[in-house]
Amino acid sequence: METNFSVDPKLAERLLFEIESDQMGGWYDLPNTYNVDEIKHIKELARKIQSTSKFLVCIGVGGSYLGHRAVIEALSPKSPTKILYAGNSLSTRELNKVIDEIGDDDFSILVISKSGTTIEPALAFDAFKQKLQKKYGEKDSCSRIFVTTDANHGALHDEAIANHYGSLTIPNDIGGRYSVLSTVGLLPLAVANVNIDKLLEGAKFCRDKMLNTGDLGNSMLVRYAFDRYRLYKKDGCDVEVLASFEPSMLYFNEWWKQLFGESEGKNYQGIFPASVVYTTDLHSMGQYMQQGRRNIFETIIEFADNSGANLAAEKATVYAHRLGGIEVLEIKVPSLDELSLGFLFQFFETACALSAKLMGINPFDQPGVEVYKQKMRELL
Amino acid sequence: METNFSVDPKLAERLLFEIESDQMGGWYDLPNTYNVDEIKHIKELARKIQSTSKFLVCIGVGGSYLGHRAVIEALSPKSPTKILYAGNSLSTRELNKVIDEIGDDDFSILVISKSGTTIEPALAFDAFKQKLQKKYGEKDSCSRIFVTTDANHGALHDEAIANHYGSLTIPNDIGGRYSVLSTVGLLPLAVANVNIDKLLEGAKFCRDKMLNTGDLGNSMLVRYAFDRYRLYKKDGCDVEVLASFEPSMLYFNEWWKQLFGESEGKNYQGIFPASVVYTTDLHSMGQYMQQGRRNIFETIIEFADNSGANLAAEKATVYAHRLGGIEVLEIKVPSLDELSLGFLFQFFETACALSAKLMGINPFDQPGVEVYKQKMRELL
């Protein structure tokens, strides 16, 4: 689609228009099209949960899980209600850890699932619903079950209506891996006392400043997307390593890997997404980054207000890795807080969709996930 | 070095002999050459720490950190003393989390560092020593400081002697990433009430059964090393993804990435080590594994006593990914416990050294780490 690999503002504008117009492009302008009443409703539900529950078990997997966990792990906010996670694996060991932590304390559950039929959250929902009913009785337990699901269809939707669960709807035009700033992420984040207004403000800042059509050629976002495309197509780099100098960004990295891996990894194409946390991983993956195969490039998120030693370590790392022959892309944000995380979510979602479009890949489907699910249904 | 890429028992035997004879090959026969008195001493130190401390802050990075954390995260053992980790990054945010968790409770510290001069643990040691001295006084704090360091040299060694810290020595013929079953890993694990005898028994089982010179052609370990070599050299796979179906294996994966990345990633060579935890990551990296670029292969650790649903998920995954055109290697162990983890440590250390030898790479040095350290010293 592109031959000289330099940033082409006209091409970027056309592809961004395609993304915004896509039937799954609802996240693109979300920071400007918010339903104010829905945000109010989310905050009311959050206060209700906080007033009744020491724990909220968030049941979901993939895009219904990684985004809100990324923010909570990154910021460690203080809240009367601690968020626990379930339904993201089939491990009974993990399930029992959550049950042990709850003990005899008060808790509620939040099931986040478009269809309600994905096996991991469905099994966990069963387990925790039984636990609620045993503790609070069948009727009262209904006031401790919350769901975020499809607006009109599905098993979970029907059950929520029938039992008057507190519920939120997942917009039809937003896919799982692009949904962190929708109802999917905002309710657990509000319960955890994350400032969701600031998160949305950060996303809006990215939407408005990075995609100013008068200046797309200088946009850090557009440049990042074109750089990735050039590195992949021209320089033969098939692994991207996302790095930051804050260990609490571990789950943000996981969110990022789903976003890019699931958006680009199809038609036997796509950059393999990997991640590190420095300086920890300079003492493990540092040797490979310095002198391993040169089919990798590195993307570093810098928090400008990091400590002097940490910023010096970042400078030394960028210097050393460039000397070692790998290209390092840098994305700078002011601080590890809600504003910057909101910015980064919107930034990477948009850049990912743009990158995929440049490669000629549909950023919004996931046809490969079906093979495993089909075989799993056969075996169970 | 090898041309038809099939398992060559004679070549394996020769390379294993080179590994065992290497001046850094001390880990190879460690399960059979243990100093029984040292194990006793480790257990005594552990009991002393348990009787005086609600927390033990383990200060170390890279090979002085990842191995013991891998076991503790995997098994969640119950102990009167909880292990906390510091000195593995330069993040003040992380340091403060540890300080907050300790609060006013009794604690001790264990510094694990060959030289004592690595910047991350050195800074953390300073911080926690001051905290100890403030709480217990200069003299009494000495009985709460433990070190695992070089037998004869270094700043940490000298300080330990001068102040009568409880101390253990790191064997000279074992490098950081091969040291988990030495004093480096065993003291924190004993404090955490991990059964270190079983851990060593598992390693011994691997050492004795997998490297039986009469049957190297059928050894799962030798086959794994040759398979990796073939996939890399013949099939153009430059990314290996380690997978298991237990989320608590997350830090084992981190240990494994250091082992392989730092051993192989030099001379612009080496397979890029990546990892996933399933089924969680089937909902994030699953799409890429199924239909992304085919320059990857997958290595799955199976725990045979996993739940039925989890084993079915594993079967479905192996089936789907092979159908998608990637090679899946399987390593089966009985159970997620000390025996199997000890086995896996010895298994991967030996297979890694053998793989690197097949590629013509020295598995025991890390020349690339110096560039970053040099620049860091300049900047600070």
Side-chain angles (χ1 to χ4, degrees), chain B residues 217-249:
Chain B
N218 286 317
S219 162
M220 177 167 76
L221 188 160
V222 173
R223 275 189 282 126
Y224 172 61
F226 276 80
D227 279 342
R228 296 182 80 255
Y229 179 60
R230 169 182 53 79
L231 285 159
Y232 178 62
K233 281 286 184 188
K234 179 162 164 278
D235 301 327
C237 290
D238 49 30
V239 177
E240 177 176 9
V241 181
L242 182 71
S244 61
F245 285 72
E246 275 297 344
S248 71
M249 288 288 280

mmCIF file of all heavy atoms in Angstrom, chain B residues 217-249:
data_model
loop_
_atom_site.group_PDB
_atom_site.id
_atom_site.type_symbol
_atom_site.label_atom_id
_atom_site.label_comp_id
_atom_site.label_asym_id
_atom_site.label_seq_id
_atom_site.Cartn_x
_atom_site.Cartn_y
_atom_site.Cartn_z
ATOM 1 N N GLY B 217 19.426 -40.582 23.120
ATOM 2 C CA GLY B 217 18.588 -40.388 21.933
ATOM 3 C C GLY B 217 17.114 -40.330 22.269
ATOM 4 O O GLY B 217 16.318 -39.732 21.545
ATOM 5 N N ASN B 218 16.718 -40.954 23.386
ATOM 6 C CA ASN B 218 15.307 -40.944 23.781
ATOM 7 C C ASN B 218 15.001 -39.958 24.903
ATOM 8 O O ASN B 218 13.876 -39.925 25.401
ATOM 9 C CB ASN B 218 14.888 -42.343 24.242
ATOM 10 C CG ASN B 218 14.738 -43.280 23.067
ATOM 11 O OD1 ASN B 218 14.184 -42.897 22.037
ATOM 12 N ND2 ASN B 218 15.245 -44.497 23.206
ATOM 13 N N SER B 219 16.003 -39.201 25.312
ATOM 14 C CA SER B 219 15.785 -38.275 26.423
ATOM 15 C C SER B 219 14.931 -37.094 25.969
ATOM 16 O O SER B 219 15.249 -36.408 24.998
ATOM 17 C CB SER B 219 17.141 -37.776 26.932
ATOM 18 O OG SER B 219 16.968 -36.608 27.689
ATOM 19 N N MET B 220 13.843 -36.833 26.693
ATOM 20 C CA MET B 220 12.975 -35.690 26.396
ATOM 21 C C MET B 220 13.794 -34.400 26.390
ATOM 22 O O MET B 220 13.561 -33.489 25.588
ATOM 23 C CB MET B 220 11.863 -35.635 27.454
ATOM 24 C CG MET B 220 10.905 -34.463 27.334
ATOM 25 S SD MET B 220 9.410 -34.656 28.373
ATOM 26 C CE MET B 220 10.058 -34.299 30.025
ATOM 27 N N LEU B 221 14.794 -34.343 27.284
ATOM 28 C CA LEU B 221 15.621 -33.135 27.404
ATOM 29 C C LEU B 221 16.485 -32.943 26.159
ATOM 30 O O LEU B 221 16.519 -31.853 25.576
ATOM 31 C CB LEU B 221 16.497 -33.271 28.660
ATOM 32 C CG LEU B 221 17.316 -32.070 29.135
ATOM 33 C CD1 LEU B 221 17.696 -32.262 30.599
ATOM 34 C CD2 LEU B 221 18.551 -31.800 28.312
ATOM 35 N N VAL B 222 17.154 -34.001 25.729
ATOM 36 C CA VAL B 222 18.030 -33.900 24.562
ATOM 37 C C VAL B 222 17.192 -33.606 23.314
ATOM 38 O O VAL B 222 17.565 -32.784 22.477
ATOM 39 C CB VAL B 222 18.862 -35.190 24.400
ATOM 40 C CG1 VAL B 222 19.657 -35.176 23.096
ATOM 41 C CG2 VAL B 222 19.780 -35.363 25.602
ATOM 42 N N ARG B 223 16.036 -34.240 23.239
ATOM 43 C CA ARG B 223 15.165 -34.002 22.083
ATOM 44 C C ARG B 223 14.686 -32.545 22.038
ATOM 45 O O ARG B 223 14.629 -31.931 20.975
ATOM 46 C CB ARG B 223 13.972 -34.968 22.090
ATOM 47 C CG ARG B 223 14.329 -36.322 21.446
ATOM 48 C CD ARG B 223 13.115 -37.192 21.246
ATOM 49 N NE ARG B 223 12.729 -37.811 22.514
ATOM 50 C CZ ARG B 223 11.517 -37.740 23.050
ATOM 51 N NH1 ARG B 223 10.556 -37.081 22.422
ATOM 52 N NH2 ARG B 223 11.272 -38.325 24.203
ATOM 53 N N TYR B 224 14.354 -32.018 23.209
ATOM 54 C CA TYR B 224 13.907 -30.619 23.260
ATOM 55 C C TYR B 224 15.013 -29.681 22.742
ATOM 56 O O TYR B 224 14.768 -28.788 21.937
ATOM 57 C CB TYR B 224 13.505 -30.254 24.695
ATOM 58 C CG TYR B 224 13.197 -28.794 24.927
ATOM 59 C CD1 TYR B 224 12.156 -28.157 24.247
ATOM 60 C CD2 TYR B 224 13.936 -28.040 25.834
ATOM 61 C CE1 TYR B 224 11.877 -26.820 24.460
ATOM 62 C CE2 TYR B 224 13.665 -26.706 26.059
ATOM 63 C CZ TYR B 224 12.634 -26.092 25.370
ATOM 64 O OH TYR B 224 12.364 -24.761 25.577
ATOM 65 N N ALA B 225 16.247 -29.932 23.176
ATOM 66 C CA ALA B 225 17.362 -29.074 22.747
ATOM 67 C C ALA B 225 17.573 -29.173 21.235
ATOM 68 O O ALA B 225 17.751 -28.150 20.554
ATOM 69 C CB ALA B 225 18.639 -29.453 23.497
ATOM 70 N N PHE B 226 17.529 -30.382 20.693
ATOM 71 C CA PHE B 226 17.716 -30.543 19.242
ATOM 72 C C PHE B 226 16.522 -29.988 18.459
ATOM 73 O O PHE B 226 16.698 -29.431 17.373
ATOM 74 C CB PHE B 226 17.963 -32.024 18.891
ATOM 75 C CG PHE B 226 19.405 -32.438 19.039
ATOM 76 C CD1 PHE B 226 19.935 -32.732 20.285
ATOM 77 C CD2 PHE B 226 20.243 -32.520 17.929
ATOM 78 C CE1 PHE B 226 21.270 -33.111 20.430
ATOM 79 C CE2 PHE B 226 21.583 -32.897 18.065
ATOM 80 C CZ PHE B 226 22.096 -33.189 19.316
ATOM 81 N N ASP B 227 15.317 -30.157 18.994
ATOM 82 C CA ASP B 227 14.133 -29.593 18.325
ATOM 83 C C ASP B 227 14.250 -28.072 18.208
ATOM 84 O O ASP B 227 13.958 -27.491 17.160
ATOM 85 C CB ASP B 227 12.855 -29.940 19.101
ATOM 86 C CG ASP B 227 12.356 -31.353 18.812
ATOM 87 O OD1 ASP B 227 12.773 -31.933 17.789
ATOM 88 O OD2 ASP B 227 11.564 -31.872 19.617
ATOM 89 N N ARG B 228 14.663 -27.442 19.281
ATOM 90 C CA ARG B 228 14.833 -25.979 19.265
ATOM 91 C C ARG B 228 15.835 -25.571 18.187
ATOM 92 O O ARG B 228 15.647 -24.616 17.444
ATOM 93 C CB ARG B 228 15.322 -25.460 20.621
ATOM 94 C CG ARG B 228 14.374 -25.650 21.776
ATOM 95 C CD ARG B 228 14.954 -25.059 23.059
ATOM 96 N NE ARG B 228 14.785 -23.608 23.116
ATOM 97 C CZ ARG B 228 15.732 -22.714 22.928
ATOM 98 N NH1 ARG B 228 16.966 -23.098 22.679
ATOM 99 N NH2 ARG B 228 15.471 -21.423 22.992
ATOM 100 N N TYR B 229 16.932 -26.329 18.154
ATOM 101 C CA TYR B 229 18.000 -26.011 17.209
ATOM 102 C C TYR B 229 17.498 -26.146 15.764
ATOM 103 O O TYR B 229 17.730 -25.280 14.923
ATOM 104 C CB TYR B 229 19.188 -26.940 17.468
ATOM 105 C CG TYR B 229 20.345 -26.723 16.527
ATOM 106 C CD1 TYR B 229 20.993 -25.491 16.458
ATOM 107 C CD2 TYR B 229 20.796 -27.752 15.702
ATOM 108 C CE1 TYR B 229 22.051 -25.296 15.594
ATOM 109 C CE2 TYR B 229 21.856 -27.565 14.838
ATOM 110 C CZ TYR B 229 22.481 -26.333 14.784
ATOM 111 O OH TYR B 229 23.525 -26.139 13.921
ATOM 112 N N ARG B 230 16.786 -27.231 15.504
ATOM 113 C CA ARG B 230 16.231 -27.446 14.164
ATOM 114 C C ARG B 230 15.229 -26.355 13.796
ATOM 115 O O ARG B 230 15.265 -25.787 12.698
ATOM 116 C CB ARG B 230 15.532 -28.816 14.107
ATOM 117 C CG ARG B 230 14.698 -29.035 12.840
ATOM 118 C CD ARG B 230 13.981 -30.397 12.829
ATOM 119 N NE ARG B 230 13.180 -30.656 14.019
ATOM 120 C CZ ARG B 230 11.957 -30.163 14.256
ATOM 121 N NH1 ARG B 230 11.384 -29.353 13.373
ATOM 122 N NH2 ARG B 230 11.309 -30.459 15.360
ATOM 123 N N LEU B 231 14.327 -26.034 14.741
ATOM 124 C CA LEU B 231 13.306 -25.017 14.462
ATOM 125 C C LEU B 231 13.950 -23.675 14.148
ATOM 126 O O LEU B 231 13.481 -22.927 13.290
ATOM 127 C CB LEU B 231 12.360 -24.894 15.668
ATOM 128 C CG LEU B 231 11.357 -26.052 15.793
ATOM 129 C CD1 LEU B 231 10.828 -26.169 17.215
ATOM 130 C CD2 LEU B 231 10.202 -25.845 14.812
ATOM 131 N N TYR B 232 15.035 -23.373 14.848
ATOM 132 C CA TYR B 232 15.727 -22.096 14.668
ATOM 133 C C TYR B 232 16.511 -22.067 13.369
ATOM 134 O O TYR B 232 16.380 -21.140 12.560
ATOM 135 C CB TYR B 232 16.653 -21.872 15.869
ATOM 136 C CG TYR B 232 17.487 -20.625 15.826
ATOM 137 C CD1 TYR B 232 16.894 -19.361 15.809
ATOM 138 C CD2 TYR B 232 18.873 -20.706 15.817
ATOM 139 C CE1 TYR B 232 17.677 -18.217 15.782
ATOM 140 C CE2 TYR B 232 19.653 -19.564 15.801
ATOM 141 C CZ TYR B 232 19.049 -18.319 15.778
ATOM 142 O OH TYR B 232 19.833 -17.191 15.760
ATOM 143 N N LYS B 233 17.311 -23.113 13.119
ATOM 144 C CA LYS B 233 18.248 -23.092 11.994
ATOM 145 C C LYS B 233 17.603 -23.508 10.684
ATOM 146 O O LYS B 233 17.928 -22.986 9.623
ATOM 147 C CB LYS B 233 19.427 -24.041 12.268
ATOM 148 C CG LYS B 233 20.469 -23.472 13.202
ATOM 149 C CD LYS B 233 21.315 -22.413 12.482
ATOM 150 C CE LYS B 233 22.411 -21.927 13.414
ATOM 151 N NZ LYS B 233 23.155 -20.790 12.875
ATOM 152 N N LYS B 234 16.695 -24.472 10.755
ATOM 153 C CA LYS B 234 16.147 -25.029 9.521
ATOM 154 C C LYS B 234 14.806 -24.393 9.171
ATOM 155 O O LYS B 234 14.547 -24.080 8.013
ATOM 156 C CB LYS B 234 15.976 -26.545 9.698
ATOM 157 C CG LYS B 234 15.378 -27.280 8.501
ATOM 158 C CD LYS B 234 15.656 -28.779 8.583
ATOM 159 C CE LYS B 234 14.771 -29.579 7.638
ATOM 160 N NZ LYS B 234 13.423 -29.838 8.189
ATOM 161 N N ASP B 235 13.963 -24.200 10.198
ATOM 162 C CA ASP B 235 12.601 -23.751 9.925
ATOM 163 C C ASP B 235 12.413 -22.246 10.096
ATOM 164 O O ASP B 235 11.298 -21.732 9.956
ATOM 165 C CB ASP B 235 11.613 -24.510 10.818
ATOM 166 C CG ASP B 235 11.705 -26.028 10.590
ATOM 167 O OD1 ASP B 235 11.981 -26.420 9.442
ATOM 168 O OD2 ASP B 235 11.518 -26.789 11.551
ATOM 169 N N GLY B 236 13.476 -21.543 10.431
ATOM 170 C CA GLY B 236 13.397 -20.082 10.494
ATOM 171 C C GLY B 236 12.557 -19.543 11.643
ATOM 172 O O GLY B 236 12.067 -18.416 11.584
ATOM 173 N N CYS B 237 12.372 -20.333 12.692
ATOM 174 C CA CYS B 237 11.617 -19.835 13.851
ATOM 175 C C CYS B 237 12.555 -19.053 14.763
ATOM 176 O O CYS B 237 13.540 -19.601 15.258
ATOM 177 C CB CYS B 237 11.014 -20.999 14.629
ATOM 178 S SG CYS B 237 9.679 -21.796 13.734
ATOM 179 N N ASP B 238 12.253 -17.786 14.995
ATOM 180 C CA ASP B 238 13.126 -17.020 15.880
ATOM 181 C C ASP B 238 12.417 -16.528 17.142
ATOM 182 O O ASP B 238 12.953 -15.709 17.882
ATOM 183 C CB ASP B 238 13.793 -15.857 15.129
ATOM 184 C CG ASP B 238 12.802 -15.036 14.328
ATOM 185 O OD1 ASP B 238 11.634 -14.960 14.752
ATOM 186 O OD2 ASP B 238 13.195 -14.472 13.297
ATOM 187 N N VAL B 239 11.211 -17.030 17.382
ATOM 188 C CA VAL B 239 10.515 -16.738 18.641
ATOM 189 C C VAL B 239 10.008 -18.054 19.234
ATOM 190 O O VAL B 239 9.363 -18.845 18.541
ATOM 191 C CB VAL B 239 9.309 -15.784 18.428
ATOM 192 C CG1 VAL B 239 8.570 -15.561 19.737
ATOM 193 C CG2 VAL B 239 9.743 -14.453 17.829
ATOM 194 N N GLU B 240 10.315 -18.298 20.506
ATOM 195 C CA GLU B 240 9.760 -19.443 21.229
ATOM 196 C C GLU B 240 8.804 -18.919 22.293
ATOM 197 O O GLU B 240 9.153 -18.007 23.048
ATOM 198 C CB GLU B 240 10.875 -20.255 21.899
ATOM 199 C CG GLU B 240 10.346 -21.437 22.734
ATOM 200 C CD GLU B 240 11.464 -22.311 23.329
ATOM 201 O OE1 GLU B 240 12.629 -21.905 23.244
ATOM 202 O OE2 GLU B 240 11.153 -23.386 23.871
ATOM 203 N N VAL B 241 7.601 -19.486 22.339
ATOM 204 C CA VAL B 241 6.615 -19.060 23.333
ATOM 205 C C VAL B 241 6.427 -20.176 24.351
ATOM 206 O O VAL B 241 5.970 -21.266 24.012
ATOM 207 C CB VAL B 241 5.265 -18.723 22.657
ATOM 208 C CG1 VAL B 241 4.258 -18.249 23.690
ATOM 209 C CG2 VAL B 241 5.450 -17.663 21.574
ATOM 210 N N LEU B 242 6.803 -19.919 25.600
ATOM 211 C CA LEU B 242 6.597 -20.898 26.670
ATOM 212 C C LEU B 242 5.190 -20.719 27.227
ATOM 213 O O LEU B 242 4.785 -19.602 27.556
ATOM 214 C CB LEU B 242 7.623 -20.708 27.790
ATOM 215 C CG LEU B 242 7.530 -21.720 28.934
ATOM 216 C CD1 LEU B 242 8.010 -23.101 28.479
ATOM 217 C CD2 LEU B 242 8.330 -21.271 30.153
ATOM 218 N N ALA B 243 4.458 -21.819 27.337
ATOM 219 C CA ALA B 243 3.066 -21.745 27.785
ATOM 220 C C ALA B 243 2.795 -22.773 28.857
ATOM 221 O O ALA B 243 3.360 -23.860 28.860
ATOM 222 C CB ALA B 243 2.128 -22.007 26.598
ATOM 223 N N SER B 244 1.945 -22.409 29.814
ATOM 224 C CA SER B 244 1.379 -23.426 30.694
ATOM 225 C C SER B 244 -0.026 -22.985 31.051
ATOM 226 O O SER B 244 -0.423 -21.856 30.782
ATOM 227 C CB SER B 244 2.235 -23.634 31.940
ATOM 228 O OG SER B 244 2.315 -22.442 32.672
ATOM 229 N N PHE B 245 -0.777 -23.904 31.643
ATOM 230 C CA PHE B 245 -2.186 -23.642 31.920
ATOM 231 C C PHE B 245 -2.408 -23.316 33.390
ATOM 232 O O PHE B 245 -3.469 -23.598 33.939
ATOM 233 C CB PHE B 245 -3.039 -24.825 31.443
ATOM 234 C CG PHE B 245 -3.194 -24.850 29.939
ATOM 235 C CD1 PHE B 245 -2.131 -25.204 29.121
ATOM 236 C CD2 PHE B 245 -4.393 -24.472 29.343
ATOM 237 C CE1 PHE B 245 -2.250 -25.200 27.736
ATOM 238 C CE2 PHE B 245 -4.529 -24.465 27.958
ATOM 239 C CZ PHE B 245 -3.457 -24.832 27.159
ATOM 240 N N GLU B 246 -1.405 -22.731 34.023
ATOM 241 C CA GLU B 246 -1.538 -22.279 35.408
ATOM 242 C C GLU B 246 -1.059 -20.837 35.511
ATOM 243 O O GLU B 246 0.138 -20.557 35.330
ATOM 244 C CB GLU B 246 -0.689 -23.156 36.335
ATOM 245 C CG GLU B 246 -1.359 -24.434 36.793
ATOM 246 C CD GLU B 246 -2.615 -24.207 37.643
ATOM 247 O OE1 GLU B 246 -2.825 -23.082 38.132
ATOM 248 O OE2 GLU B 246 -3.386 -25.171 37.787
ATOM 249 N N PRO B 247 -1.947 -19.889 35.794
ATOM 250 C CA PRO B 247 -1.526 -18.483 35.899
ATOM 251 C C PRO B 247 -0.406 -18.262 36.911
ATOM 252 O O PRO B 247 0.386 -17.335 36.750
ATOM 253 C CB PRO B 247 -2.815 -17.769 36.325
ATOM 254 C CG PRO B 247 -3.909 -18.614 35.768
ATOM 255 C CD PRO B 247 -3.413 -20.027 35.881
ATOM 256 N N SER B 248 -0.313 -19.122 37.923
ATOM 257 C CA SER B 248 0.721 -18.902 38.936
ATOM 258 C C SER B 248 2.121 -19.220 38.402
ATOM 259 O O SER B 248 3.111 -19.035 39.108
ATOM 260 C CB SER B 248 0.425 -19.718 40.195
ATOM 261 O OG SER B 248 0.615 -21.084 39.961
ATOM 262 N N MET B 249 2.225 -19.684 37.151
ATOM 263 C CA MET B 249 3.534 -19.936 36.543
ATOM 264 C C MET B 249 4.136 -18.674 35.910
ATOM 265 O O MET B 249 5.191 -18.737 35.270
ATOM 266 C CB MET B 249 3.418 -21.043 35.497
ATOM 267 C CG MET B 249 3.211 -22.421 36.079
ATOM 268 S SD MET B 249 4.709 -23.082 36.879
ATOM 269 C CE MET B 249 5.606 -23.661 35.425
#
